[in-house]
Amino acid sequence: MVTKEINNKSEWDALVTAFPDYTFLHGWNWGEFNRVRGEKVWRLGLFEGDRLVALCQAVSVSARRGNFLFVPHGPLFREASEEAESQIVDKLTALAEQEHYIFIRISPWMESSTENEVFFKRHGFRRAPTHMHAEETWLLPLAGDEHSLLLGMRKTTRNLIHRAERDGVEISISRNIEDIEHLLLLQDETAERHNFVPFSRSYLENEFRIFSADDQALLFLGKHGGKISSAAIIIFYGNRAFYFQSGSVKSDAPVSYLLQWEVIKEAKRRGCVLYNLWGVAPEHAPRHPFAGITIFKSGFGGYRKNYMHAVDLPLSKK
């Protein structure tokens, strides 16, 4: 097996989206977004002859406590084997040591299971002390027509969509970078309500600019009574849509429900087969900060899928 860097955008994205399960965090534009933020990016393909065995996009993370190498939602393996695993880990270790990073962190896009935990433990990885990206996720298959999708929803959700339509809620779609201002204002209020640190203006603008340039991102805005009360950046990558950045405030009408319905319809128009609504609360955790948003997301139908927690490979005593 031979590891090669892949430096062609269309080739990389075609390889990633040919896997049965993936997210845009392993896509070319996520690497470019990190590069704009001043980080380094490596895109590695593991081949046996002409046959692709694995893909791995790694980015540097500059942190006060020490820089590290990070693999978001990867590596992606055609089939697991000790040889393939070892080749990828060895290549990442060589890169990290070359750049003087103190550890490697992987946020695997592998279903949470004892078998997959062993996969990393045998290479010296241990559980990371923090969450990096969505692990407990909610997925909505988009098969069938709009009527079937509505019938698959919780009755309350379906009724709130129809109510929003009757109440005159307006949903618009923007590709204008200046409209990110609406999301920023809403995220500030959402962050205060749910007790998290919102992303900065430059972070959201760079993210939207890079993905929207390839028609991979749209900003959905929900308005009622002349006021925008809900906004979301939706990422479209391969045949999947992702509910990634959002913000909302209380409104007299169920604006966010109609916004999501318009997202689902747009995803269908683009030929998407799956809508990933991103993070939800763990099961049986009614007091979790995401408990409310979990009820909201699950109301649209679909199912839960839990992925592995991030793991670290220490390379320094630090």
Side-chain angles (χ1 to χ4, degrees), residues 8 97 102 110 166 237 286:
N8 181 282
E97 290 177 340
I102 63 173
M110 294 179 175
R166 292 194 302 271
Y237 184 59

Side-chain angles (χ1 to χ4, degrees), residues 11 14 80 98 105 108 113-114 146 148 158 163 240 242 244 255 295:
E11 179 188 2
Q98 171 188 310
R105 175 167 291 166
S113 70
T114 302
E146 292 180 8
S148 299
R158 187 166 59 246
R163 182 187 143 195
R240 285 157 166 70
F242 300 87
F244 190 47
V255 179
I295 294 171

Side-chain angles (χ1 to χ4, degrees), residues 52-83:
L52 177 70
V53 177
L55 285 178
C56 181
Q57 177 165 253
V59 300
S60 64
V61 176
S62 303
R64 287 192 298 271
R65 294 183 180 181
N67 300 340
F68 62 95
L69 189 65
F70 179 47
V71 179
H73 285 179
L76 303 176
F77 288 93
R78 286 285 186 206
E79 54 191 45
S81 73
E82 287 193 28
E83 185 181 358

Side-chain angles (χ1 to χ4, degrees), residues 108-155:
W109 199 237
M110 294 179 175
E111 198 163 359
S112 180
S113 70
T114 302
E115 182 183 357
N116 285 334
E117 287 176 8
V118 170
F119 177 100
F120 288 99
K121 281 182 179 178
R122 66 171 169 245
H123 291 290
F125 285 86
R126 64 191 187 197
R127 184 179 174 86
T130 185
H131 286 77
M132 295 298 288
H133 293 297
E135 296 169 6
E136 314 258 354
T137 65
W138 195 266
L139 306 177
L140 173 62
L142 298 177
D145 56 19
E146 292 180 8
H147 180 68
S148 299
L149 288 169
L150 282 167
L151 287 179
M153 296 179 188
R154 189 180 294 130
K155 182 179 179 181

Side-chain angles (χ1 to χ4, degrees), residues 169-171 182-183 185-187 189-190 193 220-232 246-256 259:
V169 171
E170 301 172 35
I171 307 297
H182 299 299
L183 177 58
L185 293 173
L186 293 172
Q187 270 208 350
E189 294 191 45
T190 305
R193 193 165 67 246
F220 286 75
L221 300 169
K223 182 189 291 186
H224 181 252
K227 180 183 178 183
I228 293 175
S229 58
S230 184
S246 65
S248 64
V249 293
K250 289 184 178 179
S251 171
D252 293 334
V255 179
S256 294
L259 186 148

Side-chain angles (χ1 to χ4, degrees), residues 71-294:
V71 179
H73 285 179
L76 303 176
F77 288 93
R78 286 285 186 206
E79 54 191 45
S81 73
E82 287 193 28
E83 185 181 358
E85 296 163 22
S86 297
Q87 288 255 23
I88 290 293
V89 172
D90 288 349
K91 182 63 176 178
L92 290 174
T93 302
L95 279 173
E97 290 177 340
Q98 171 188 310
E99 299 292 330
H100 306 293
Y101 298 148
I102 63 173
F103 66 96
I104 299 167
R105 175 167 291 166
I106 294 179
S107 187
W109 199 237
M110 294 179 175
E111 198 163 359
S112 180
S113 70
T114 302
E115 182 183 357
N116 285 334
E117 287 176 8
V118 170
F119 177 100
F120 288 99
K121 281 182 179 178
R122 66 171 169 245
H123 291 290
F125 285 86
R126 64 191 187 197
R127 184 179 174 86
T130 185
H131 286 77
M132 295 298 288
H133 293 297
E135 296 169 6
E136 314 258 354
T137 65
W138 195 266
L139 306 177
L140 173 62
L142 298 177
D145 56 19
E146 292 180 8
H147 180 68
S148 299
L149 288 169
L150 282 167
L151 287 179
M153 296 179 188
R154 189 180 294 130
K155 182 179 179 181
T156 304
T157 299
R158 187 166 59 246
N159 290 342
L160 288 169
I161 289 171
H162 294 322
R163 182 187 143 195
E165 292 171 331
R166 292 194 302 271
D167 288 353
V169 171
E170 301 172 35
I171 307 297
S172 60
I173 299 175
S174 175
R175 294 174 173 83
N176 189 344
I177 194 74
E178 294 177 359
D179 285 334
I180 291 295
E181 177 71 23
H182 299 299
L183 177 58
L184 281 163
L185 293 173
L186 293 172
Q187 270 208 350
D188 286 342
E189 294 191 45
T190 305
E192 188 173 341
R193 193 165 67 246
H194 291 289
N195 193 29
F196 68 87
V197 179
F199 291 104
S200 68
R201 178 184 297 274
S202 63
Y203 187 99
L204 290 176
E205 287 183 346
N206 283 329
E207 188 177 78
F208 188 67
R209 183 183 294 108
I210 289 168
F211 281 93
S212 62
D214 286 337
D215 195 32
Q216 290 182 348
L218 294 175
L219 176 63
F220 286 75
L221 300 169
K223 182 189 291 186
H224 181 252
K227 180 183 178 183
I228 293 175
S229 58
S230 184
I233 294 176
I234 307 298
I235 304 291
F236 300 93
Y237 184 59
N239 60 4
R240 285 157 166 70
F242 300 87
Y243 180 32
F244 190 47
Q245 305 282 9
S246 65
S248 64
V249 293
K250 289 184 178 179
S251 171
D252 293 334
V255 179
S256 294
Y257 287 87
L258 186 59
L259 186 148
Q260 286 299 323
W261 178 230
E262 292 301 324
V263 169
I264 291 167
K265 291 193 289 185
E266 175 64 23
K268 287 280 291 180
R269 283 191 288 271
R270 288 173 172 251
C272 295
V273 300
L274 191 72
Y275 181 26
N276 187 327
L277 284 96
W278 220 238
V280 292
E283 293 182 271
H284 313 301
R287 296 187 180 182
H288 191 277
F290 290 170
I293 196 70
T294 301

